[in-house]
Amino acid sequence: MNQPGTLDLVFCGWWLLFNGWIQYLEIDFLCGVTNRRGYRLTLLWIGINECFIAAKFFLGTPDTFLIHILLLLLFSVCFLKISWRAAAAPLVITGTLYRFIEGYSAVCMYWVSRNAESKIWGTMLQIVISALLSAVYFGILKLVRRRYSDALQWPASSYLYVLLFPCGFIVLLVRMGLKLDSRELEQYFSAIGMDTGIAVFFILSGAMTIFLLMIKIFSLIIDQARRENDMTIMKMQMEGQRTYVEEAEKRNREYSRFQHDINNHLLVLSGLIRERAYERAEEYIDGLYIRSRSLAEPASTGNGVLDILLKEKVNYGVGNGIRVCCNVRIPENFYFDDMDLNVIFANILDNAIQACMVVPHEDREISIDTKTHGRFLMIESANSWASGPVEEGIGLTNIRIVAAKYQGTMELSSTDRQFRISVLLRAPGDMV
């Protein structure tokens, strides 16, 4: 009499442990996909869910799948601070996959109940099978998170969520077809026979394969939409950079005219001095100074278009009380596209200036310089930084796209007071 009681206690303890493990995997997957740190609240969710399961058991309510999903959604929104749009896809994935696990479990447990020689072996087999199924569940979630996490984080437009509706339909078929919510589950399996149970096992495997393919298709569509969106933004930004090209050409022509006329200006000044018209000479000198200052560049990079861009950005930064140190030089034999260089330097300086605007005036600093190593150009920039999460927005994404075009990379790092970005580009001409 004591042995069955002990077995029941062991199985009950395992059942609670198994349930807690499944709830942990749900929260872990949800936080991992949405880049949230909610692991401290995992125990709270496990406790809520255990209370919910206990209430379901005592009330004898079999169908609580939708209630469980709604509870998890509310927990995500209220406690984890995840928007319902961001939580929708991960919840559908975890919920659907676990329903498949339930289906496998129902088939396997029926086989155990029919073939176990004793209650001890039956209980042990049930524990082993549930452990294996939880391992499968963990492995699939890990695989989905590793391969499709980036796509699931993208804010998909509403029409893409239509792809998730078949997931709910699959869940409905699994639960209704296997009568997982019925109290007559054992009688149902007895009626269909074990041969049919094996067929159900393979049907479940096929349905799960289809579901994983749907996740892959969903992710491919999201990735394609994201690439098209990035390319559209990139084109718009490059169109905006064309104004710098036009301005560079205009300023170069003005500078050439100024240099051409400098001898004439000196002759005029010489004549005014000889005539002792010192006031007029002083006014003339002031006019030349103002004109020459407007044509002066804060850096001589070896690229006329980039010089104009840096002049614009550096002057804007200095005008906002930012100390800017610019030491940029592009070797003559490094033939980068002007637009690509503008995208990189404009976004680096725009982000740096924006970051400096939220720190005290006395701490506002930006430094940007370049180094060469063989056929590689290293662009490094550091700026003042108010500590916080680093989010890769449109500007950094465009820098990464341009770096990839030149077989390069972009690296970000930050401390409590400084943000750094390094961009490595390989000069065209010897790229493979």
Side-chain angles (χ1 to χ4, degrees), residues 164-317:
L164 297 177
F165 289 146
C167 303
F169 182 68
I170 290 175
V171 172
L172 184 63
L173 287 180
V174 170
R175 299 188 72 84
M176 293 181 62
L178 295 181
K179 298 186 181 297
L180 294 179
D181 299 317
S182 173
R183 299 173 186 233
E184 301 175 352
L185 178 63
E186 186 173 348
Q187 293 88 331
Y188 172 71
F189 273 104
S190 298
I192 63 176
M194 198 54 220
D195 291 339
T196 310
I198 294 174
V200 170
F201 186 90
F202 285 107
I203 291 172
L204 279 172
S205 301
M208 180 178 284
T209 302
I210 294 173
F211 174 68
L212 294 176
L213 287 175
M214 287 171 58
I215 296 176
K216 183 175 183 178
I217 294 171
F218 175 83
S219 300
L220 289 175
I221 293 175
I222 292 293
D223 285 336
Q224 182 63 27
R226 180 170 55 181
R227 283 194 295 268
E228 290 178 359
N229 183 73
D230 289 344
M231 291 305 298
T232 299
I233 295 174
M234 181 77 167
K235 289 178 181 178
M236 292 175 61
Q237 191 172 57
M238 293 187 72
E239 286 294 328
Q241 298 299 333
R242 292 185 187 278
T243 58
Y244 290 111
V245 177
E246 296 172 358
E247 187 177 351
E249 294 176 349
K250 178 181 176 182
R251 289 180 180 272
N252 283 338
R253 289 194 297 267
E254 291 179 356
Y255 189 70
S256 297
R257 288 197 299 267
F258 182 81
Q259 284 186 317
H260 182 268
D261 294 337
I262 192 66
N263 290 332
N264 295 329
H265 293 311
L266 292 175
L267 288 174
V268 171
L269 282 173
S270 178
L272 291 173
I273 292 173
R274 282 197 304 269
E275 294 176 1
R276 299 180 183 276
Y278 298 122
E279 292 184 1
R280 291 183 60 190
E282 186 176 353
E283 292 176 357
Y284 198 89
I285 291 173
D286 289 341
L288 286 177
Y289 173 74
I290 292 173
R291 185 178 178 189
S292 64
R293 186 177 180 184
S294 67
L295 295 173
E297 307 294 345
S300 178
T301 66
N303 182 294
V305 177
L306 186 57
D307 290 344
I308 297 297
L309 172 70
L310 292 177
K311 178 180 184 299
E312 297 274 340
K313 301 298 182 183
V314 170
N315 286 344
Y316 180 77

Side-chain angles (χ1 to χ4, degrees), residues 302-341:
N303 182 294
V305 177
L306 186 57
D307 290 344
I308 297 297
L309 172 70
L310 292 177
K311 178 180 184 299
E312 297 274 340
K313 301 298 182 183
V314 170
N315 286 344
Y316 180 77
V318 172
N320 284 277
I322 302 173
R323 294 181 295 278
V324 183
C325 177
C326 181
N327 184 23
V328 176
R329 179 71 185 173
I330 309 298
E332 293 182 357
N333 60 339
F334 280 34
Y335 304 107
F336 297 108
D337 185 87
D338 290 340
M339 294 297 177
D340 292 334
L341 289 178

Side-chain angles (χ1 to χ4, degrees), residues 14-253:
W14 167 254
W15 180 73
L16 291 173
L17 182 64
F18 172 80
N19 241 323
W21 170 244
I22 294 299
Q23 306 314 314
Y24 168 78
L25 292 180
E26 285 183 340
I27 297 296
D28 179 68
F29 181 78
L30 186 60
C31 291
V33 167
T34 56
N35 279 334
R36 294 293 193 278
R37 295 188 177 183
Y39 299 105
R40 295 181 179 179
L41 298 172
T42 304
L43 289 177
L44 175 61
W45 167 246
I46 293 175
I48 293 174
N49 191 72
E50 294 291 351
C51 292
F52 172 70
I53 292 175
K56 179 188 73 171
F57 176 79
F58 286 112
L59 295 175
T61 306
D63 187 5
T64 56
F65 170 67
L66 292 178
I67 299 177
H68 173 79
I69 293 297
L70 288 175
L71 275 177
L72 185 52
L73 179 60
L74 288 174
F75 184 83
S76 303
V77 174
C78 298
F79 291 94
L80 301 179
K81 306 302 180 183
I82 303 173
S83 67
W84 69 269
R85 289 182 180 273
L91 286 180
V92 169
I93 290 172
T94 55
T96 305
L97 286 176
Y98 185 64
R99 295 322 122 189
F100 282 121
I101 297 300
E102 275 191 333
Y104 284 121
S105 178
V107 175
C108 293
M109 295 308 175
Y110 173 73
W111 179 86
V112 169
S113 67
R114 293 294 300 271
N115 294 275
E117 297 179 356
S118 66
K119 188 172 181 179
I120 295 177
W121 282 108
T123 301
M124 297 305 297
L125 279 174
Q126 288 180 3
I127 291 175
V128 170
I129 289 173
S130 58
L132 291 174
L133 289 175
S134 68
V136 171
Y137 183 59
F138 167 75
I140 294 176
L141 288 180
K142 187 176 181 179
L143 176 67
V144 171
R145 178 176 169 180
R146 184 175 69 248
R147 291 190 177 181
Y148 309 119
S149 182
D150 290 340
L152 293 174
Q153 291 174 18
W154 184 255
S157 55
S158 57
Y159 76 92
L160 288 176
Y161 282 106
V162 174
L163 291 176
L164 297 177
F165 289 146
C167 303
F169 182 68
I170 290 175
V171 172
L172 184 63
L173 287 180
V174 170
R175 299 188 72 84
M176 293 181 62
L178 295 181
K179 298 186 181 297
L180 294 179
D181 299 317
S182 173
R183 299 173 186 233
E184 301 175 352
L185 178 63
E186 186 173 348
Q187 293 88 331
Y188 172 71
F189 273 104
S190 298
I192 63 176
M194 198 54 220
D195 291 339
T196 310
I198 294 174
V200 170
F201 186 90
F202 285 107
I203 291 172
L204 279 172
S205 301
M208 180 178 284
T209 302
I210 294 173
F211 174 68
L212 294 176
L213 287 175
M214 287 171 58
I215 296 176
K216 183 175 183 178
I217 294 171
F218 175 83
S219 300
L220 289 175
I221 293 175
I222 292 293
D223 285 336
Q224 182 63 27
R226 180 170 55 181
R227 283 194 295 268
E228 290 178 359
N229 183 73
D230 289 344
M231 291 305 298
T232 299
I233 295 174
M234 181 77 167
K235 289 178 181 178
M236 292 175 61
Q237 191 172 57
M238 293 187 72
E239 286 294 328
Q241 298 299 333
R242 292 185 187 278
T243 58
Y244 290 111
V245 177
E246 296 172 358
E247 187 177 351
E249 294 176 349
K250 178 181 176 182
R251 289 180 180 272
N252 283 338
R253 289 194 297 267

